Structure formats: structure tokens, C-alpha cells
Amino acid sequence: SVCLQECYVQNTAREYAKIYAAEAEPLEGFGEVPEIIPIFLVHRPANNIPYATVEEELVGEFVKYSIRDGKEINFLRRDSEAGQKCCTFQHWVYEKTNGSLLVTDLQGVGMKLTDVGIATLAKG
């Protein structure tokens, strides 16, 4: 169930990122938008651990643009285009969902993001 939940969270955030991209890309001078890469659930019945997740390999410098615990300070969040656009995306999702959903833990290589989280007002 953990693998299934991980897929659900990342792919839900990915759908919001697609809507965000559709709204942001036509804006003059906005440029590239963050992309949350898809994650897939794989069933391996002959294995001791029958389920796993698979996603595209990201090659390059892995950066945490936003984190959930606030213990790490990452200047790339505010000093890079990718970091600023990740913060903009977080704010956009929060506003789009009337404050009921926030995409967290935005991290990845450049504008390709993975292993994101979602915080909600609702439990579960």
C-alpha cells in the first residue's frame, strides 16, 4: 500500500503540474515550467517484495527546492529560476485548491521533479 500511495501522490501532483504548465507556458517570457515525472507501480509476483515503483532516472545535480521539515536551508530555492518556479507552483496549487492542498518536497534535477509530497487539510 505504501508503493500505491507514493504513485498516487506523485501522479496527482503531476496532474496539477500539467494544468499549471498549460496556464504558465503561454505567458510571455515565462519560459520552462517545472515537470513532475511520472512514477509507475510494478508488480513482481516472484519477488519477496512483490511491488515496487519505477521512474525515469534523473541525471545531474539533485536539488531540494522545498522541503517539509524546514531544517535544511537551500539557497537554490530562492536564487535559481527552477527554485523560484517551484515556489510559484506551490503557491498556485494552494490557491487553485482554495488552500486545501499543498505540493511539498519539490526536488529533482533542473525543472524535472520527483519524490514530491502533498499536504492536505483533510486527514488520510
Side-chain angles (χ1 to χ4, degrees), residues 61-105:
E61 182 184 359
F62 194 87
V63 178
K64 293 182 179 185
Y65 297 110
S66 74
I67 50 175
R68 193 175 10 211
D69 63 12
K71 293 178 184 172
E72 296 180 44
I73 296 175
N74 186 341
F75 294 108
L76 286 175
R77 180 180 68 211
R78 72 163 195 237
D79 294 342
S80 72
E81 179 181 358
Q84 289 177 5
K85 287 182 177 177
C86 284
C87 289
T88 303
F89 171 63
Q90 280 185 301
H91 180 75
W92 179 88
V93 169
Y94 183 81
E95 290 294 319
K96 191 80 164 172
T97 62
N98 296 315
S100 64
L101 188 141
L102 180 68
V103 178
T104 63
D105 294 339

Side-chain angles (χ1 to χ4, degrees), residues 11-61:
N11 290 325
T12 298
R14 178 175 164 76
E15 290 305 312
Y16 277 101
K18 288 179 186 178
I19 298 166
Y20 173 74
E23 290 185 15
E25 284 176 336
L27 300 174
E28 185 177 334
F30 192 85
E32 190 178 7
V33 295
E35 173 194 0
I36 298 172
I37 63 173
I39 186 171
F40 303 95
L41 182 66
V42 177
H43 183 225
R44 311 170 309 167
N47 197 298
N48 289 343
I49 302 172
Y51 292 97
T53 58
V54 181
E55 62 185 352
E56 171 187 349
E57 178 182 13
L58 298 180
V59 178
E61 182 184 359

Side-chain angles (χ1 to χ4, degrees), residues 105-124:
D105 294 339
L106 294 172
Q107 53 196 330
V109 176
M111 294 287 189
K112 288 195 168 204
L113 308 174
T114 185
D115 198 24
V116 301
I118 292 180
T120 66
L121 285 177
K123 292 185 178 187

